[in-house]
Amino acid sequence: MNDVPIAMAIHGGAGVLTPGLLTTQDESDIHETLRRALDAGQQILEAGGSSLDAVEASVAVLEDSPWFNAGKGAVFTDDGRHELDAAIMRGSDRNAGAIAGVHHVRNPIRGARAVMECSEHVMLIGEGADRFLVEHQLPQVANDWYDTELRRRQWQDNRLKGGAPTLEPSEADHRGGQDDPAPGHKFGTVGAVALDRHGHVAAATSTGGITNKRYSRVGDTPLIGAGTWADDRSAAISATGHGEYFIRAAVAHDIAARMRHAGKDLEAACHEVVFQELKALGGQGGIIAVSPAGDTQLVFNTPGMYRAWRDRQGRRHTAIYAKDDRVHD
Ligand code: ASP
């Protein structure tokens, strides 16, 4: 059984992560958080557990960390609240669950799973979704529980500048402040993909969306086929980046479709979509993906992406910048 491959990768958002913006301490904290999140899923896989449990566990660790724009540390909407989006999908039967614009569930990814397992629907939104999550006894928090000082500052700064919605980085990116080479073009969504010993893949993604968003804006993250997709016949994919472009390019599904219908391998399919399809529209960001054969890809067209993965030998890697690879063990 131990010869059967398992695979796992996670991300904490892609963007302009230029070396020098983070302190060494920040970098260590982020690597450590990524490693913990990877471990949470990997331990489940190594014990023979399901890829669905693994991706949920990893994403929950990232949601609980204020470093990332999901759960605690989510960005503010224009009217000073938080609206959270998440999705989860199982490759064995393509069952999926998603929530968008929710306000009180402590771990949105667990909410998405509840929609998948406890309702006959795939996606619930807004107040109705909030009610469903209470009825199904998902742990609740006050909306300001997601606040962090830094996100509040970003929101206020952005309002002073006119309040246009912007794509937000993880907490760490903002330490760069005015030296930031491209303010706004950074992201902080979290996601995980996994392959379990039974040959099943799964994907999960969670986000606060974009800062100062208005009119109940929803991005790609909770949209099945855009930011999240899993199918045992091709791959599991979780995306991060400028959501509007990822929706228009149906990024996650397009990668899977290239594998199924055009016979591409995982690497080629991911590169074509991220560097050709998405880029042609002007979309920035990245994806993580695993295939049932045990291949893993982490591909982005930005200068960096918070990420971690397990290699075929079982070693754990974490990275922030394009040329970056910290091996743990
Ligand atoms: N894709 C997310 C959205 O547009 C943002 C991100 O990845 O950080 O809502």
Side-chain angles (χ1 to χ4, degrees):
M1 193 69 173
N2 278 352
D3 293 341
V4 180
I6 57 174
M8 176 108 211
I10 63 171
H11 70 75
V16 181
L17 310 171
T18 313
L21 290 182
L22 297 172
T23 66
T24 312
Q25 186 58 49
D26 290 340
E27 290 179 352
S28 301
D29 289 351
I30 293 167
H31 280 283
E32 180 54 21
T33 307
L34 290 167
R35 189 196 55 73
R36 270 196 307 113
L38 183 73
D39 280 356
Q42 190 170 317
Q43 280 163 10
I44 290 171
L45 297 175
E46 281 168 356
S50 76
S51 52
L52 194 73
D53 287 343
V55 293
E56 180 187 345
S58 287
V59 166
V61 171
L62 295 169
E63 286 178 338
D64 286 342
S65 163
W67 285 110
F68 304 105
N69 171 21
K72 180 79 182 170
V75 297
F76 283 73
T77 61
D78 196 52
D79 61 3
R81 301 202 302 163
H82 305 278
E83 292 177 354
L84 306 166
D85 307 332
I88 193 163
M89 186 165 186
R90 178 165 67 200
S92 56
D93 57 0
R94 278 170 290 149
N95 203 356
I99 49 176
V102 302
H103 306 93
H104 296 295
V105 66
R106 181 185 160 128
N107 285 105
I109 201 61
R110 301 203 196 285
R113 184 158 177 182
V115 172
M116 175 177 130
E117 290 180 339
C118 308
S119 83
E120 65 272 35
H121 307 300
V122 168
M123 185 174 206
L124 300 178
I125 64 164
E127 312 290 339
D130 285 336
R131 239 182 11 254
F132 172 88
L133 299 171
V134 169
E135 282 170 15
H136 287 80
Q137 291 167 13
L138 276 287
Q140 303 286 305
V141 292
N143 193 254
D144 63 7
W145 179 84
Y146 307 111
D147 286 10
T148 55
E149 255 328 289
L150 184 97
R151 297 297 188 203
R152 182 177 296 283
R153 235 179 19 249
Q154 290 169 1
W155 166 60
Q156 284 164 343
D157 289 353
N158 214 42
R159 277 172 81 89
L160 289 177
K161 284 187 224 138
T166 58
L167 290 148
E168 283 306 325
S170 75
E171 174 166 352
D173 301 322
H174 274 275
R175 303 283 175 82
Q178 289 153 0
D179 296 323
D180 185 342
H185 289 278
K186 301 173 293 190
F187 317 96
T189 292
V190 307
V193 290
L195 164 69
D196 64 31
R197 289 213 194 281
H198 314 284
H200 302 312
V201 295
T205 319
S206 179
T207 190
I210 60 177
T211 203
N212 294 71
K213 63 185 180 181
R214 291 185 281 182
Y215 312 118
S216 307
R217 179 266 186 192
V218 175
D220 60 311
T221 298
L223 299 186
I224 300 304
T228 307
W229 182 258
D231 181 350
D232 282 357
R233 298 170 300 178
S234 49
I237 298 119
S238 170
T240 178
H242 194 155
E244 279 68 10
Y245 294 92
F246 282 66
I247 294 170
R248 290 167 53 202
V251 162
H253 185 266
D254 192 13
I255 291 170
R258 281 163 200 263
M259 297 176 73
R260 271 190 75 213
H261 305 304
K264 303 286 171 146
D265 63 21
L266 185 70
E267 184 178 3
C270 291
H271 278 80
E272 284 174 10
V273 172
V274 172
F275 291 110
Q276 294 169 24
E277 290 296 314
L278 195 55
K279 233 165 168 194
L281 298 180
Q284 291 187 312
I287 58 91
I288 53 172
V290 296
S291 74
D295 296 327
T296 301
Q297 286 291 314
L298 304 98
V299 180
F300 46 98
N301 63 26
T302 48
M305 179 167 81
Y306 297 110
R307 59 202 186 279
W309 68 100
R310 176 191 190 278
D311 68 22
R312 281 189 182 269
Q313 286 69 45
R315 284 185 306 249
R316 299 161 302 162
H317 301 250
T318 58
I320 299 176
Y321 312 109
K323 299 220 178 307
D324 195 6
D325 185 355
R326 198 172 286 190
V327 184
H328 303 259
D329 282 343

